[in-house]
Amino acid sequence: MKPIVAIGDIHGRTTWEGIVKAHPDARFVFLGDYLDPYDSIPREKLLANLLQIMVFKRRNPENVVLLLGNHDMHYFSENALKGTRYDFQIERFAAPLFTEYRDLFQYAWQEGNWLFTHAGVSQEWFEDDFCGDISRPVADQLNHPSEAQIPALFRVGQVRGGRKGRTGGIFWADVSELADPLHGYVQVVGHNRVPDVSVQEGSHGNRIIFCDCLRYGNYLCLEHLG
């Protein structure tokens, strides 16, 4: 079993290249948000970085997982709400790129009871909003939602500016909405910024690991899942 390296929100950073070189025998899970930088990065460099990540995936299909985040979905999905730092000028390049190579990306990845998504899954959201079946592989359900499940998948919770009483879906879930992560699962997520990898424990055999710390040069390396 190869080690698994989870790389948090990219936002135009090329730091991932050094991480890949440091772990030549690992599998890599990118947690999404490839565009919409916090820093001033030229658009051509943003797109070049995204293309390099896509090439990395195409050359290593079995060892690279590319997840999508809210800062990716809003460029090509009519179901996604446009978030902060949306770039209308880069849209005309990013939208066809994501659309044409959609098969390189996915919403969720699962290995046993380990679940990787951009923002995370709370028990409440999965049961009451998404209406998922906990007895079936969760990633399969998230990657292939029914028409009825799509609105919940893209939902923005109250904490992030959505409707009162709403809980965020896998692209928008806030840390405050993840106090009770999906029962029986260990989750690895980005989206919620942390200075270093941090863990939040539940009380139902559940925990969630936050990894949106690439800006500090930090990432998660799992020698084994267990």
Side-chain angles (χ1 to χ4, degrees), residues 10-224:
I10 296 292
H11 290 304
R13 301 182 185 91
T14 58
T15 318
W16 65 273
E17 295 175 328
I19 296 171
V20 167
K21 289 179 181 177
H23 300 275
D25 298 318
R27 286 189 291 171
F28 298 91
V29 182
F30 289 75
L31 297 171
D33 279 5
Y34 305 98
L35 301 174
D36 300 348
Y38 291 93
D39 307 314
S40 179
I41 301 175
R43 293 184 179 90
E44 59 269 21
K45 289 190 176 182
L46 284 174
L47 290 169
N49 190 48
L50 173 57
L51 281 167
Q52 282 297 108
I53 292 171
M54 293 165 67
V55 168
F56 181 48
K57 165 66 175 177
R58 294 190 74 175
R59 290 177 176 172
N60 303 274
E62 300 301 318
N63 291 318
V64 179
V65 175
L66 301 183
L67 300 183
L68 289 163
N70 56 307
H71 285 278
D72 311 311
M73 298 302 303
H74 66 185
Y75 283 111
F76 71 97
S77 173
E78 62 183 11
N79 297 298
L81 178 73
K82 287 181 172 57
T84 56
R85 303 187 308 285
Y86 186 90
D87 189 334
F88 287 94
Q89 293 188 52
I90 210 171
E91 177 188 32
R92 63 194 180 100
F93 301 104
L97 191 62
F98 278 121
T99 302
E100 183 175 356
Y101 297 101
R102 178 66 182 83
D103 61 317
L104 297 179
F105 300 90
Q106 57 198 84
Y107 295 161
W109 183 69
Q110 182 176 343
E111 188 82 10
N113 72 328
W114 285 74
L115 179 66
F116 297 70
T117 63
H118 175 64
V121 179
S122 70
Q123 182 70 21
E124 177 186 9
W125 175 84
F126 187 75
E127 284 186 337
D128 300 340
D129 296 345
F130 187 70
C131 299
D133 181 354
I134 198 69
S135 68
R136 294 170 46 217
V138 172
D140 286 350
Q141 298 175 66
L142 298 175
N143 284 322
H144 305 286
S146 68
E147 286 294 323
Q149 291 173 316
I150 288 175
L153 201 68
F154 288 88
R155 185 160 294 148
V156 181
Q158 179 180 346
V159 177
R160 295 270 180 158
R163 289 185 185 178
K164 185 176 181 180
R166 290 289 179 89
T167 301
I170 64 169
F171 305 110
W172 281 98
D174 187 79
V175 61
S176 63
E177 299 168 327
L178 296 167
D180 186 26
L182 191 62
H183 296 179
Y185 280 83
V186 180
Q187 295 187 61
V188 177
V189 304
H191 188 61
N192 290 282
R193 284 176 285 166
V194 287
D196 202 349
V197 173
S198 60
V199 182
Q200 185 167 288
E201 299 280 352
S203 54
H204 299 275
N206 51 351
R207 59 190 163 105
I208 190 162
I209 305 173
F210 296 98
C211 301
D212 182 10
C213 49
L214 190 63
R215 64 168 53 197
Y216 303 103
N218 298 322
Y219 58 95
L220 174 67
C221 182
L222 299 162
E223 291 299 326
H224 58 86

